[in-house]
Each structure stands twice: as structure tokens, then as C-alpha cells.
């Protein structure tokens, strides 16, 4: 009773969320992606390197669905500040704890947008001389690409909309949504 005026005030100020990909659609796609990666590595151990923070849920679901022996590592990157478009400036905020020389590496990204972040990371990882280096992204927005990058495994190709949920944020909010939603005004 006492809270209802506050709740209605908040709801008028909250941006709208429109479901683009449901939790069920996402889980079905994860199954097929995991099977594809399992086929390609044929039992060879793989380092899954999650790009913080957005990839943490995708990595957790993918790793638990895959049968390939995996080791999990994280790398931290910052390129967005608080807005919805990239500053174009990529900063390494957390490096790997391990050396990946001679190992099979799959970089796990939440979304490839302009490609600037991934281009930076691919260059960085190539210098570490892994046996193989591939990229798995949960989402791909190819319309916005400014740097050509090769994506080996892609969950969903989506239109040029700002999305949140399943790990993706807007100014650190919405990461825990089970669906992927388009953020509106
Ligand atoms: P890029 O360097 O422009 O490819 O941007 C990649 C990073 O920007 C991703 O790892 C996300 O963290 C962030 N990003 C790009 N598009 C979106 C979006 O629609 N929602 C949330 N984050 C996004």
C-alpha cells in the first residue's frame, strides 16, 4: 500500500524493455553452438576466455553445455563508459592469469558491434602465440561494423538496436535478465 506511489513513479521513469530473444530461444541456440564447438575440437582441451563483464552468463551456459574439456579464464576490457555507443577507445582492465602459448583458445564475447574491442583483443591474444585462436560471440550486430573481424561461432545476428540482458548491460543495469531485450525510451 505504502509503496505503490513510489512504484508507479518509478515505472513512468523506467525505459521500456521489449523481448528480442527469449530465454528458451537462447538455451536452444546454446545447445547447437556447444555441439558445433565440441565437433570442431574433437576432445582437445580448450581455454575459454570470457571478456568481462558481458560474456559471463554466455560463458557459463556454453561451458556447462560443452563436452570438450575446458579451462575458464577472464580478461577485462572497457570501451563503453556509461553510454550506448562505443567511445572507440579500448582499455585492458584485467589481464589473463595464465599463459596460453601453444593452447587452443576461444575468446568468448557477449556482442560484436563495431568490432573495435574484438580487433584489439585478437591482436593482443595473437602476441601470446596460442596454437589456435577463435571467437565465439553470443550476439552479432554486423550493420555497425567498422573493423573487419572474423567470428567463428555466432549465437544470433541481431539488428542495430541497443540490447540488454543475459549478461549485457546499460550503465551496469539489466545484466541479470533471462531474456535479451531491446532498450527503449
Ligand atoms: P564493439 O567494440 O563496438 O564491437 O563493442 C563491443 C562491446 O560493446 C561489447 O562487448 C559490449 O560490452 C558493448 N555493446 C555493444 N553493443 C551493445 C548492446 O547493444 N548492448 C550492450 N552492450 C553493447
Amino acid at each position: 500500500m505504502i509503496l505503490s506511489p513510489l512504484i508507479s513513479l518509478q515505472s513512468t521513469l523506467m525505459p521500456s524493455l521489449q523481448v528480442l530473444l527469449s530465454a528458451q530461444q537462447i538455451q536452444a541456440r546454446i545447445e547447437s553452438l556447444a555441439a558445433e564447438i565440441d565437433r570442431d575440437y574433437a576432445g582437445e582441451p580448450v581455454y575459454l576466455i570470457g571478456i568481462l563483464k558481458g560474456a559471463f552468463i554466455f560463458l557459463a551456459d556454453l561451458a556447462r553445455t560443452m563436452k570438450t574439456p575446458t579451462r575458464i579464464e577472464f580478461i577485462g576490457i572497457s570501451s563503453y563508459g556509461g553510454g550506448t555507443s562505443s567511445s572507440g577507445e579500448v582499455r585492458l582492465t584485467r589481464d589473463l592469469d595464465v599463459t596460453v602459448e601453444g593452447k587452443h583458445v576461444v575468446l568468448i564475447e557477449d556482442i560484436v558491434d563495431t568490432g573495435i574491442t574484438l580487433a584489439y583483443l585478437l591482436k593482443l591474444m595473437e602476441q601470446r602465440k596460442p596454437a589456435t585462436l577463435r571467437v565465439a560471440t553470443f550476439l552479432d550486430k554486423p550493420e555497425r561494423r567498422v573493423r573487419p573481424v572474423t567470428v567463428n561461432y555466432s549465437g544470433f545476428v541481431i539488428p542495430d538496436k541497443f540490447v540488454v540482458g543475459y549478461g549485457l548491460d546499460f550503465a551496469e543495469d539489466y545484466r541479470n535478465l533471462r531474456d535479451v531485450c531491446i532498450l527503449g525510451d
Side-chain angles (χ1 to χ4, degrees), residues 82-116:
T84 58
S85 64
S86 174
S87 61
E89 216 175 275
V90 184
R91 217 161 36 89
L92 188 68
T93 55
R94 185 196 186 280
D95 205 346
L96 296 177
D97 296 323
V98 292
T99 159
V100 292
E101 189 172 340
K103 309 291 185 191
H104 295 298
V105 169
V106 182
L107 280 176
I108 309 288
E109 179 60 299
D110 56 352
I111 183 165
V112 182
D113 185 24
T114 63
I116 292 171

Side-chain angles (χ1 to χ4, degrees), residues 32-110:
S32 55
L33 270 183
E36 198 182 330
I37 298 173
D38 283 340
R39 262 197 313 275
D40 288 354
Y41 288 91
E44 290 274 321
V46 172
Y47 272 93
L48 300 181
I49 301 187
I51 303 166
L52 293 170
K53 299 175 194 168
F56 79 106
I57 295 181
F58 176 48
L59 171 54
D61 281 351
L62 189 66
R64 286 179 297 175
T65 312
M66 285 170 56
K67 295 187 177 63
T68 303
T70 60
R71 289 191 176 173
I72 314 284
E73 295 293 334
F74 289 96
I75 196 160
I77 283 291
S78 153
S79 64
Y80 260 53
T84 58
S85 64
S86 174
S87 61
E89 216 175 275
V90 184
R91 217 161 36 89
L92 188 68
T93 55
R94 185 196 186 280
D95 205 346
L96 296 177
D97 296 323
V98 292
T99 159
V100 292
E101 189 172 340
K103 309 291 185 191
H104 295 298
V105 169
V106 182
L107 280 176
I108 309 288
E109 179 60 299
D110 56 352

